[in-house]
Amino acid sequence: EAGVTQFPSHSVIEKGQTVTLRCDPISGHDNLYWYRRVMGKEIKFLLHFVKESKQDESGMPNNRFLAERTGGTYSTLKVQPAELEDSGVYFCASSQVVYSPLHFGNGTRLTVT
Amino acid sequence: ILNVEQSPQSLHVQEGDSTNFTCSFPSSNFYALHWYRWETAKSPEALFVMTLNGDEKKKGRISATLNTKEGYSYLYIKGSQPEDSATYLCALPINSGNTPLVFGKGTRLSVIA
């Protein structure tokens, strides 16, 4: 089976610009998660989709972050406008059922200058 | 807030040595524990998902134990090889049911040939 894919792998943008990250989960995985790792810190939860519904968005830092999962397939995470502290690696992961392991994408390394 | 502690933060061992590290968590409200292996420039890869007290899982030279009553899990690597060099992450679900994982900061293992 194809794994979780993320695009782009790297993005360098200036403060104030907009960036959209995309995640294609494993086909058939209803659960889709966004996580972020800032340099030197732990991987932190941002958002959880079950199919197209937002199950939990308690980890979203602020309203500059908008995630969507139209049709319950791929997901996008838009940062607008980007700030310096948004720099980090954004991971997407998907899973089938409760307590099953997460399948991670390779991440998008976002650098805001 | 669920606090997942991993120790040590980093570890250097010689090729052939066996090693172990710890994940500690609150013993109350335990549901499951995940171990992931994260190689540089790759995505985290699931090693084990453990749910029962006393559980022991094994994958090749890597094994893990779980003590839910005292709130810890050990990951063991027997006869470390350079390819075992990676960050090992421990994660637990915030709550019961279909909830996101909270990750520890990881243990960074370097195996010196």
Side-chain angles (χ1 to χ4, degrees), chain B residues 58-80:
Chain B
K58 190 173 180 182
K59 189 176 183 177
R61 293 179 292 98
I62 305 176
S63 61
T65 60
L66 176 65
N67 185 324
T68 61
K69 293 188 189 306
E70 295 182 36
Y72 64 84
S73 173
Y74 291 142
L75 190 79
Y76 299 91
I77 302 179
K78 186 178 175 183
S80 303

Side-chain angles (χ1 to χ4, degrees), chain A residues 31 35 42 91 99 102 105, chain B residues 31 36 38 43 49 98 101 105:
Chain A
N31 295 289
Y35 284 87
E42 66 270 29
F91 286 103
Y99 303 154
L102 298 186
Chain B
Y31 306 102
Y36 291 85
W38 186 16
S43 56
V49 179
N98 201 7
L101 298 179
K105 290 184 178 180

Side-chain angles (χ1 to χ4, degrees), chain A residues 98-99, chain B residues 2 29-32 92-102:
Chain A
V98 176
Y99 303 154
Chain B
L2 176 58
N29 301 321
F30 174 84
Y31 306 102
L92 288 89
I94 293 171
N95 230 318
S96 66
N98 201 7
T99 59
L101 298 179
V102 173

